[in-house]
């Protein structure tokens, strides 16, 4: 079984290898954003959305800046993280600068649909449900899930089967793709939603729930910064999925 650290390193390596090709492919996808799918074959690549971006020099970007290492705020309040840096590269390809608009996770797709921003560059896993309402660019990484729990409970969770327990309560970020993983592999457990992923982990630390489930890199980063927490990857086949930028 791979460790959480090794899975994180693998994810980061795959992301870096995809980085060079992604920026240009995503820029082309943004050029089509806002164009009805049926009209794409008849409409030139330049669209009103692209014209607005090019004329203003601003790329309005939906982000979730509470999910280190993908997106977070520095002590000075500036956006930072892997997805933030990738967005800056994309904006540079378009000859502009990104305007990051911090959003709740639950509201990030509705924000895109209501034209609050031009695209989402947060660590958004590709799911069928999401693909019905947004368009995804080429994947930038594969996102894997995991569990985080108190270190003194490690003896209870020697195998992944231990998490599929009707007496177990698992916290999760509302509208997170990890819900699909939990429903598929751990249907017996009780799931409780929280507004942020850190609130979900706080519920573990304060013993309101047993474990929390989220993206493995986020959990690994959290465990490094907070003593007494243990991370276990969900490495069942089919439990990981691609992550990509999203647009209308």
């Amino acid at each position: 079984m791979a460790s959480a650290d090794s899975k994180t390193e693998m994810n980061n390596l795959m992301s870096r290898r995809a980085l060079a090709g992604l920026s240009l492919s995503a820029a082309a996808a943004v050029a089509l954003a806002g164009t009805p799918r049926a009209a794409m074959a008849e409409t030139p690549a330049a669209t009103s959305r692209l014209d607005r971006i090019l004329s203003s020099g601003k790329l309005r970007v939906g982000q979730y800046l509470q999910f280190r290492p993908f997106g977070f705020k520095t002590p000075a309040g500036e956006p930072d993280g892997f997805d933030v840096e990738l967005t800056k590269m994309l904006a540079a390809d378009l000859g502009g600068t990104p305007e990051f608009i911090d959003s709740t996770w639950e509201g990030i797709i509705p924000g895109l649909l209501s034209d609050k921003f031009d695209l989402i560059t947060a660590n958004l896993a590709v799911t069928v449900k999401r693909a019905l309402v947004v368009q995804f660019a080429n994947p930038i990484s594969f996102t894997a899930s995991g569990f985080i729990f108190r270190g003194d409970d490690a003896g209870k969770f020697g195998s992944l089967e231990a998490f599929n327990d009707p007496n177990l309560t698992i916290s999760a970020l509302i509208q997170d793709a990890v819900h699909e993983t939990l429903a598929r592999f751990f249907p017996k457990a009780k799931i409780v939603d929280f507004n942020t992923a850190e609130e979900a982990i706080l519920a573990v630390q304060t013993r309101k729930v047993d474990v929390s489930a989220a993206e493995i890199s986020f959990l690994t980063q959290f465990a490094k910064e907070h003593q007494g927490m243990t991370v276990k990857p969900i490495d069942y086949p089919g439990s990981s999925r691609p992550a990509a930028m999203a647009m209308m």
Side-chain angles (χ1 to χ4, degrees), residues 4 144-150 157 159-165 168-172 178 181-183 185-187 189-191 201 204 210-220 223 229-236 239:
S145 300
F147 292 113
I148 190 168
F149 46 89
R150 299 178 297 272
F157 304 119
S159 67
L160 287 175
E161 288 76 11
F163 296 94
N164 191 28
D165 185 336
L168 194 73
T169 302
I170 303 174
S171 63
V178 76
T181 299
L182 296 175
F185 297 105
F186 310 96
K190 179 182 177 182
I191 312 301
I201 299 178
V204 178
D210 301 298
V211 301
S212 187
E215 200 281 330
I216 192 71
S217 297
F218 167 75
L219 296 181
T220 301
M229 303 300 291
T230 299
V231 174
K232 191 177 189 69
I234 300 173
D235 55 4
Y236 285 143
S239 62

Side-chain angles (χ1 to χ4, degrees), residues 198-210:
E198 289 199 357
E199 287 177 358
I201 299 178
L202 178 61
V204 178
Q205 293 174 306
T206 56
R207 300 184 181 272
K208 294 179 180 178
V209 302
D210 301 298

Side-chain angles (χ1 to χ4, degrees), residues 83-230:
D83 291 330
V84 170
E85 292 305 311
L86 182 60
T87 305
K88 292 178 180 178
M89 292 178 63
L90 171 58
D93 283 345
L94 294 173
T97 57
E99 177 187 353
F100 292 102
I101 303 170
D102 197 10
S103 171
T104 64
W105 190 248
E106 185 179 13
I108 199 165
I109 288 180
L112 176 67
L113 298 179
S114 62
D115 198 34
K116 291 183 179 179
F117 24 83
D118 300 307
L119 76 162
I120 298 170
T121 65
N123 186 55
L124 195 65
V126 178
T127 68
V128 173
K129 183 178 179 180
R130 290 170 176 170
L132 291 174
V133 294
V134 302
Q135 298 182 58
F136 284 103
N138 290 347
I140 56 178
S141 66
F142 277 86
T143 176
S145 300
F147 292 113
I148 190 168
F149 46 89
R150 299 178 297 272
D152 55 12
D153 284 342
K156 300 179 182 179
F157 304 119
S159 67
L160 287 175
E161 288 76 11
F163 296 94
N164 191 28
D165 185 336
N167 297 315
L168 194 73
T169 302
I170 303 174
S171 63
L173 171 64
I174 190 169
Q175 299 292 337
D176 190 23
V178 76
H179 283 79
E180 292 192 5
T181 299
L182 296 175
R184 179 180 179 185
F185 297 105
F186 310 96
K188 296 180 181 179
K190 179 182 177 182
I191 312 301
V192 180
D193 284 340
F194 286 82
N195 290 327
T196 72
E198 289 199 357
E199 287 177 358
I201 299 178
L202 178 61
V204 178
Q205 293 174 306
T206 56
R207 300 184 181 272
K208 294 179 180 178
V209 302
D210 301 298
V211 301
S212 187
E215 200 281 330
I216 192 71
S217 297
F218 167 75
L219 296 181
T220 301
Q221 184 73 37
F222 188 96
K224 287 181 178 180
E225 298 174 355
H226 299 81
Q227 293 184 352
M229 303 300 291
T230 299

Side-chain angles (χ1 to χ4, degrees), residues 29-125:
V30 171
L32 293 175
T35 304
R37 296 179 188 230
M40 284 185 181
E42 304 174 2
T43 304
T47 66
S48 59
R49 183 180 297 273
L50 180 60
D51 288 341
R52 182 179 67 192
I53 293 170
L54 294 176
S55 62
S56 67
K58 293 288 186 180
L59 180 64
R60 300 175 304 157
V61 180
Q63 256 293 338
Y64 180 62
L65 299 175
Q66 302 180 60
F67 210 70
R68 191 185 296 266
F70 298 99
F72 58 94
K73 291 182 180 179
T74 67
E78 296 297 320
D80 200 358
F82 175 79
D83 291 330
V84 170
E85 292 305 311
L86 182 60
T87 305
K88 292 178 180 178
M89 292 178 63
L90 171 58
D93 283 345
L94 294 173
T97 57
E99 177 187 353
F100 292 102
I101 303 170
D102 197 10
S103 171
T104 64
W105 190 248
E106 185 179 13
I108 199 165
I109 288 180
L112 176 67
L113 298 179
S114 62
D115 198 34
K116 291 183 179 179
F117 24 83
D118 300 307
L119 76 162
I120 298 170
T121 65
N123 186 55
L124 195 65

